[in-house]
Structure formats: structure tokens, C-alpha cells
Amino acid sequence: MTEQRVTVKIINSIAHVKLNRADKLNALDMPMFIAIRNTIKKLGKNRDIRAVIVSGNGDDFCSGLDVKSIMKSPTSMVKLLFKALPWQANLAQVVSTGWQNIPVPVICAIHGRCWGGGLQIALGADFRFATPDSSLSILEGKWGLIPDMGGTIALRDLIAIDQAKRLAMTAEMFTGQQALALNLVTEITATPLADAQAFAESLLSQSPDAIAANKKLYNKSWQGSKGWALFRESYYQIKVMMGKNMQRKVYNQTHDIEQHKTFLPRKKW
């Protein structure tokens, strides 16, 4: 049952992850939470993939929590919210924050509804491509709740605090075009999945170690001290330079495309 909730196909080193519950608007039930977590873990260990594209089957990206399904079992909320240590992500949060543990670009292609938990998942990606008429919302307030799936971490880096408070307090719905104005999406397009694919393919010519190092550098240094940011720049650069993929990138940059060398699996980042 868990495997049916998410499908994964790896084509040309790009992992295509699809939320696969179209008949329920890709709403999040316990099997889907578990499937997303397991997918993130598996992709995080795959050193051959170069990008991840997350999308939803059917007419919607994800309409949020399947409240009826979750509430059927008295233990479901406990399983979602339990954490061994207070500062670690629980099952509800890891479906958003976990994408940042994969050392490749994660791109969400948003169409239709992207509400509540669906938006939290999308906020955990590195990039979000959305249709202009897609519908987004921090919907938790509609049920008298607060967003608790890890999207707050991304939200604080994307928009002003007053805008974040307004969206969370009102639970209002807004379009993809409005989301672009708020800086919640990267790009507006009529074909988000095709454009996400084109963007992912454009990154295949870059060193996978440089891509991974960039993601880790910015994730760890966007907040925090300048001193640690400077240290990470130097340390990660040395690690990149000691790898063979930098040498292959330099070679490819100075030779015709017919002579280009294939990159090796990235280092562990």
C-alpha cells in the first residue's frame, strides 16, 4: 500500500517523484507520509542521481492533509508528531525538510491545488515552478491549527514576516501568479513539469560535486555567523577541488562536446 502512494522513475539521472493519489487530490494519509519519507531516504543515498522533480498525478499537486483518514486511527497523530529529540524532524516535518538532505536540486512542479501540507512539501524543495492559476494556501488555520510540517524554515528565508503571518493567520488562498509576487515560487509557467525537466537537464553539464557543495553551503550559511560562512566556503572548495569531477568539468569546458567526459558519482556531502 505504501509503495502505491508515491512513484519514482529515474530517467537520465533525473528522479521523477510523483504523488500518486489522484482520486483523493493527492491528499496526505499515513501511507503517503511514510512513502514520501522512504522516498527521500532512498534518493538521499543514491549518488548517481543529478536532480529530483516532484509533481502530483491528476489535477492537483497536493490538497493537504486527509483529515478523515488521519483521524480514523487514534495513533496516527501520535505517529506523525512523535520525535525522539525536540530539535529533530518528526514524520510530519520530514516530508518537507527532508528534501534538503538530498545533495541535488529538488524541483517541485505545482499545478492545481497546493494547500496546507502540500504547500509545506513544496516549500521544502529548492525550486518551485507553478502554473499561474494554481491555488496555494497555508490552509492549517482553516481547521484552527498552525503549520507544523517544517515549511516555516523555508518560509522565513523566502518572504517577509508580516506576509507569512498574514497567510498563516487568514488561511487565504492565492494563485501561482500571486505566489510569484510573494517570492514563494521560483517561476510561473503554463508547463511547470516540462520546464522543471528542462531546468534539471541544464544542470547535467555541471559538476555534481559543485552542485552538492553549493546546496549545502547556502543551506548552512544563509542564516548564522559570517565567520562560519567563510569557513564553509573555503572547506567545501577544497573538497570540490580534490575531487575528479572538477577536473572533468574543466576538461569539458575546454574541449568540444564530442570529447566530453562523463562525471563520476558525487562525493558524500
Side-chain angles (χ1 to χ4, degrees), residues 207 209-210 213 235-247 267 269:
S207 163
D209 285 307
Y235 175 62
Y236 295 167
Q237 187 75 300
I238 291 171
K239 187 175 178 179
V240 167
M241 293 174 68
M242 290 178 66
K244 293 183 178 180
N245 278 325
M246 192 215 75
Q247 299 170 15
K267 290 176 174 288
W269 288 92

Side-chain angles (χ1 to χ4, degrees), residues 6 17-19 26-29 32-33 35-37 40 53-56 61-65 91-100 106-110 114-128 137 140 148-152 154:
V6 174
V17 177
K18 280 191 177 291
L19 307 182
N26 291 323
L28 296 157
D29 61 356
M32 183 171 277
F33 274 106
I36 295 172
R37 180 195 63 188
I40 290 171
I53 298 174
V54 185
S55 61
F61 177 74
C62 175
S63 60
L65 190 69
L91 177 57
Q93 294 165 331
V94 78
V95 301
S96 173
T97 63
W99 302 109
Q100 292 303 315
V106 177
I107 313 156
C108 270
I110 300 170
C114 183
W115 295 346
L119 180 56
Q120 302 295 305
I121 291 171
L123 288 172
D126 300 295
F127 308 95
R128 285 158 295 282
S137 175
E140 287 81 358
D148 65 342
M149 285 178 55
T152 300

Side-chain angles (χ1 to χ4, degrees), residues 77-89:
M77 290 306 297
V78 175
K79 291 177 181 178
L80 281 175
L81 300 178
F82 173 79
K83 51 177 68 179
L85 296 171
W87 53 85
Q88 291 182 341

Side-chain angles (χ1 to χ4, degrees), residues 197-211:
Q197 173 74 22
F199 176 53
E201 289 177 352
S202 74
L203 298 175
L204 297 179
S205 63
Q206 304 299 328
S207 163
D209 285 307
I211 294 287

Side-chain angles (χ1 to χ4, degrees), residues 39-40 43-44 49 52 98-106 215 266:
T39 297
I40 290 171
L43 292 178
I49 61 169
V52 176
W99 302 109
Q100 292 303 315
N101 297 327
I102 304 175
V104 302
V106 177
K215 179 168 179 173
R266 67 175 179 276

